[in-house]
């Protein structure tokens, strides 16, 4: 059998020799199925060329402009030697160049890696070297972070810089301004031999143990996740999605991917740093979808207690990344009176795992729901045996959205990808503790490091935090373990209390004792003015643990 070289292999959509394209063109055409992630942009630009795709500040960009700019980036990358599967790091804020670069890399046949602009040089350097990246998109304001990396990393061949000013002139590396790149003449429409099982992205996550891992996601896995999310969130092309989460965070990234695939509009902000401006934006931009994390909702609820917030135009509110306390839900319903509120659970390794249908929010308030459409979950004991209803075990996930593995780390991959239920099947072991009720609804008990051993008793951090959040005046709560000479571990709670509320350590303990067993009452209470956060808006428990 004659083997074709990579650049001569036929991929879907190409015409093999002998095919009569002219005759076929006369036949009625059925809609072309979408197989690649970047095709969503092409489809939306064809259907809604003059519709606003992205709104940044006071500037709007149409689908036509997004596609044209992405194609220019793709063409320039191919002209500079980017091949199918080459990795490209995008080290930028939530910005127009960042969004264009993501789709430009996809349309060029590359693999995009979005890195949070708040990361240090050491992490940027690790990701570039670990992934074998030759192309970097970044921003001039980040020069103090990326220039040391350029000097230490010979891998990089091309750096494209937005808002570059004097950076290009002062650095010896082959650099090009982002606007200059867009101004280049496009000699031909970029074409690739990419198929759906090729990589689309590497998403680096540190996980609970702190080691950076590159989650390998293919086009078909990411596209499946996008379509499944759109289905259960009941989204449409008329929606306006507010993005305040970093695009480097997969929860933020998928807001962009969903919007573009639908032909909807995404309103992009850099962060939730200035809440009052975000509240104004929700109303001015007629936002219909508001994705957040529990720390964002905690801040909103604190504001709401002082000055009532009211967003009747929002029709969907989504929460993931951490446990959403049950006590938040009544006030969220008042703030968003016409919104379906979705509690969700997921891992970067498969994007989303479960969601609670909003109609069950009052019936099953503590649940994270059932598996997302087109996937399956099950719970096994540590010995690998099925558990009964109500019994704790480890959650496993199977479906097209499960990652290929961790980039260049087969050992770590083997810890989470296991042999499945059927021959040749591979499933994701989340290493997270769950139980399932008689109706098949999932209940999150804690991640692998969210269980404490107090005198031989297993204590769920989630349960203790939920009790703390139910205390009037508590804005944010985080529970960690500390060493105890008698019990082995003790519970240490960090709290942020609403301004003007006077809560003492004894009052907190008495409140906890009313709803928790004695062993679950925090031994130590620490009051903070502000809770430390990660780049993704989660409470930084690693930092809190280091403070013990």
């Amino acid at each position: 059998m004659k083997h074709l070289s990579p650049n001569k292999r036929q991929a879907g959509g190409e015409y093999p020799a002998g095919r009569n394209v002219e005759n076929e063109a006369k036949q009625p055409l059925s809609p072309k199925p979408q197989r690649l992630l970047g095709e969503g942009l092409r489809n939306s630009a064809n259907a809604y060329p003059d519709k606003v795709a992205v709104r940044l500040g006071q500037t709007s960009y149409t689908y036509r402009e997004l596609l044209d700019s992405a194609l220019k980036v793709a063409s320039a990358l191919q002209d500079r030697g980017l091949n199918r599967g080459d990795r490209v790091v995008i080290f930028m804020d939530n910005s127009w160049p960042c969004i264009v670069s993501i789709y430009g890399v996809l349309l060029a046949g590359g693999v995009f890696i979005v890195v949070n602009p708040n990361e240090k040089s050491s992490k940027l350097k690790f990701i570039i070297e670990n992934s074998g990246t030759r192309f970097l998109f970044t921003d001039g304001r980040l020069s103090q972070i990326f220039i040391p990396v350029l000097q230490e990393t010979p891998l990089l061949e091309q750096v494209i810089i937005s808002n570059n000013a004097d950076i290009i002139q002062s650095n010896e590396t082959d650099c090009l301004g982002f606007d200059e790149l867009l101004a280049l003449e496009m000699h031909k429409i970029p074409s690739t031999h990419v198929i759906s099982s090729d990589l689309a992205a590497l998403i680096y996550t540190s996980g609970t143990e702190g080691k950076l891992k590159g989650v390998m996601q293919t086009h078909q896995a990411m596209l499946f996740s996008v379509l499944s999310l759109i289905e259960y969130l009941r989204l449409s092309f008329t929606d306006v999605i507010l993005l305040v989460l970093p695009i480097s965070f997969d929860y933020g990234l998928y807001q962009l991917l969903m919007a573009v695939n639908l032909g909807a509009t995404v309103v992009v902000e850099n962060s939730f740093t200035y809440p009052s401006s975000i509240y104004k934006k929700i109303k001015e931009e007629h936002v219909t979808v508001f994705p957040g994390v529990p720390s964002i909702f905690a801040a909103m609820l604190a504001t709401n207690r002082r000055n009532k917030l009211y967003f009747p135009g929002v029709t969907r509110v989504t929460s993931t990344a951490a446990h959403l306390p049950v006590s938040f839900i009544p006030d969220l319903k008042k703030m968003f009176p016409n919104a379906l509120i979705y509690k969700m659970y997921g891992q970067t390794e498969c994007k989303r795992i479960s969601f609670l249908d909003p109609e069950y929010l009052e019936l099953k308030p503590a649940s994270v729901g059932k598996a997302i459409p087109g996937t399956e979950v099950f719970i096994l004991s540590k010995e690998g045996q099925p558990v009964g209803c109500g019994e704790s075990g480890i959650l496993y996930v199977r479906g097209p959205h499960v990652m290929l593995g961790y980039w260049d780390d087969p050992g770590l991959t083997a810890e989470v990808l296991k042999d499945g239920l059927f021959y040749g099947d591979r499933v994701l072991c989340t290493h997270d503790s769950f139980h399932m009720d008689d109706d098949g609804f999932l209940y999150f008990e804690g991640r692998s490091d969210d269980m404490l051993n107090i005198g031989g008793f297993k204590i769920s951090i989630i349960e203790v935090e939920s009790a703390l959040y139910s205390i009037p005046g508590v804005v944010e709560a985080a529970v960690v373990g500390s060493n105890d000479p008698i019990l082995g571990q003790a519970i240490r709670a960090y709290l942020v209390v609403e301004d003007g509320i006077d809560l003492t350590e004894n009052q907190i303990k008495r409140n906890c004792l009313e709803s928790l067993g004695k062993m679950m009452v925090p031994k130590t209470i620490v009051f903070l003015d502000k809770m430390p956060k990660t780049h993704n808006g989660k409470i930084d428990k690693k930092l809190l643990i280091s403070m013990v």
Side-chain angles (χ1 to χ4, degrees):
M1 182 178 189
K2 184 179 179 181
H3 293 279
L4 297 176
S5 60
N7 64 334
K8 291 183 180 179
R9 293 175 186 162
Q10 290 179 353
E14 296 185 78
Y15 298 125
R19 179 170 170 183
N20 192 328
V21 179
E22 184 177 350
N23 287 341
E24 287 188 12
K26 298 176 182 178
Q27 304 300 317
L29 296 177
S30 58
K32 183 180 179 182
Q34 183 181 346
R35 296 188 178 92
L36 304 179
L37 195 58
E39 289 173 350
L41 173 57
R42 291 184 185 273
N43 295 340
S44 293
N46 287 334
Y48 318 107
D50 298 316
K51 183 179 179 180
V52 173
V54 179
R55 179 85 167 159
L56 281 141
Q58 300 302 312
T59 307
S60 296
Y61 301 91
T62 66
Y63 273 100
R64 189 198 311 274
E65 290 173 310
L66 178 54
L67 178 59
D68 288 348
S69 297
L71 286 171
K72 288 180 180 178
V73 168
S75 175
L77 286 172
Q78 289 186 347
D79 287 346
R80 283 158 175 74
L82 182 133
N83 298 310
R84 178 174 70 168
D86 282 350
R87 280 73 62 204
V88 181
V89 165
I90 300 169
F91 183 55
M92 291 175 159
D93 290 307
N94 286 9
S95 63
W96 174 246
C98 177
I99 293 169
V100 170
S101 299
I102 289 171
Y103 280 96
V105 172
L106 287 172
L107 295 177
V111 178
F112 71 86
I113 307 168
V114 187
V115 179
N116 193 293
N118 293 311
E119 292 291 7
K120 304 298 183 184
S121 295
S122 58
K123 283 195 175 181
L124 177 63
K125 180 174 181 288
F126 173 85
I127 290 171
I128 289 172
E129 292 181 343
N130 179 255
S131 63
T133 290
R134 297 188 295 123
F135 300 85
L136 170 67
F137 283 82
T138 187
D139 190 277
R141 79 163 190 86
L142 301 171
S143 59
Q144 290 186 333
I145 302 173
F146 72 76
I147 284 182
V149 176
L150 302 187
Q151 297 167 344
E152 298 173 11
T153 307
L155 285 171
L156 287 172
E157 298 175 8
Q158 181 75 61
V159 180
I160 296 93
I161 308 172
S162 65
N163 302 315
N164 52 294
D166 300 323
I167 302 296
I168 292 178
Q169 300 172 6
S170 63
N171 197 278
E172 297 179 358
T173 306
D174 187 8
C175 297
L176 182 69
F178 185 82
D179 290 338
E180 184 182 350
L181 181 148
L182 292 184
L184 294 174
E185 183 179 352
M186 187 167 62
H187 301 293
K188 60 179 181 179
I189 301 295
S191 62
T192 70
H193 296 275
V194 173
I195 62 173
S196 60
S197 57
D198 287 335
L199 281 184
L202 286 182
I203 303 175
Y204 277 83
T205 175
S206 60
T208 55
E209 71 290 335
K211 180 181 178 181
L212 278 173
K213 305 169 290 186
V215 173
M216 296 190 288
Q217 286 284 13
T218 64
H219 283 267
Q220 62 188 7
M222 296 186 76
L223 181 57
F224 173 87
S225 293
V226 166
L227 297 177
S228 187
L229 294 172
I230 287 171
E231 177 184 345
Y232 79 71
L233 292 174
R234 313 173 201 179
L235 302 180
S236 80
F237 71 96
T238 61
D239 278 310
V240 178
I241 302 174
L242 180 60
L243 175 55
V244 299
L245 304 161
I247 295 176
S248 58
F249 179 22
D250 70 331
Y251 186 24
L253 170 65
Y254 274 82
Q255 307 307 316
L256 171 66
L257 299 178
M258 288 189 299
V260 170
N261 227 72
L262 279 166
T265 297
V266 60
V267 177
V268 181
E269 293 290 319
N270 252 324
S271 68
F272 196 72
T273 304
Y274 303 103
S276 58
S277 66
I278 299 299
Y279 304 151
K280 185 179 179 182
K281 186 76 68 174
I282 292 173
K283 295 179 179 179
E284 289 180 345
E285 300 288 353
H286 305 290
V287 168
T288 61
V289 183
F290 184 82
V293 294
S295 60
I296 287 178
F297 294 123
M300 295 181 76
L301 293 177
T303 300
N304 184 61
R305 284 188 281 270
R306 298 189 302 271
N307 302 295
K308 294 299 180 185
L309 299 176
Y310 189 64
F311 306 110
V314 175
T315 59
R316 248 82 86 250
V317 172
T318 66
S319 177
T320 191
H323 176 68
L324 181 69
V326 173
S327 59
F328 282 20
I329 295 172
D331 285 334
L332 285 176
K333 285 187 172 183
K334 293 176 183 177
M335 280 195 295
F336 301 98
N338 299 315
L340 299 173
I341 298 176
Y342 286 85
K343 289 179 62 178
M344 305 182 295
Y345 160 77
Q347 288 190 348
T348 307
E349 287 78 359
C350 63
K351 176 48 198 162
R352 183 80 71 247
I353 294 174
S354 68
F355 76 101
L356 181 64
D357 197 304
E359 283 76 10
Y360 284 90
L361 198 58
E362 293 184 4
L363 291 173
K364 309 276 187 179
S367 173
V368 292
K370 297 184 177 183
I372 67 173
T375 72
E376 185 177 357
V377 298
F378 54 94
I379 300 175
L380 301 178
S381 67
K382 289 184 179 179
E383 294 72 34
Q385 299 301 313
V387 301
C389 290
E391 294 181 19
S392 296
I394 304 301
L395 186 73
Y396 289 76
V397 184
R398 64 186 301 260
H401 59 331
V402 172
M403 68 172 183
L404 283 184
Y406 297 118
W407 178 266
D408 196 29
D409 200 331
L412 197 57
T413 297
E415 292 181 16
V416 296
L417 292 185
K418 308 290 185 181
D419 290 335
L421 302 174
F422 305 102
Y423 183 78
D425 192 23
R426 299 286 281 170
V427 297
L428 175 68
C429 174
T430 67
H431 291 286
D432 288 351
S433 296
F434 275 80
H435 70 268
M436 187 182 292
D437 67 16
D438 293 336
D439 298 318
F441 285 82
L442 294 168
Y443 294 80
F444 176 58
E445 296 178 351
R447 299 194 186 272
S448 53
D449 60 348
D450 277 349
M451 301 297 290
L452 302 179
N453 191 329
I454 312 293
F457 292 91
K458 292 292 185 181
I459 303 297
S460 168
I461 282 177
I462 300 299
E463 191 173 351
V464 180
E465 288 178 346
S466 294
L468 291 168
Y469 271 114
S470 69
I471 300 172
V474 172
V475 176
E476 289 186 287
V479 169
V480 300
S482 60
N483 293 326
D484 186 278
I486 298 174
L487 299 174
Q489 281 187 303
I491 300 173
R492 186 179 183 91
Y494 291 89
L495 301 179
V496 175
V497 176
E498 189 176 339
D499 290 342
I501 300 294
D502 186 20
L503 283 174
T504 67
E505 183 171 347
N506 286 335
Q507 287 175 315
I508 296 292
K509 290 182 177 181
R510 283 198 301 271
N511 272 274
C512 286
L513 198 56
E514 293 176 4
S515 57
L516 299 172
K518 187 176 181 180
M519 296 293 292
M520 301 179 72
V521 175
K523 181 179 180 180
T524 309
I525 308 289
V526 180
F527 294 95
L528 300 175
D529 293 329
K530 185 179 181 181
M531 198 71 76
K533 303 287 172 58
T534 67
H535 301 325
N536 297 336
K538 304 176 187 177
I539 293 175
D540 192 342
K541 287 195 174 181
K542 292 176 188 173
L543 183 57
L544 292 177
I545 291 171
S546 70
M547 294 164 56
V548 173

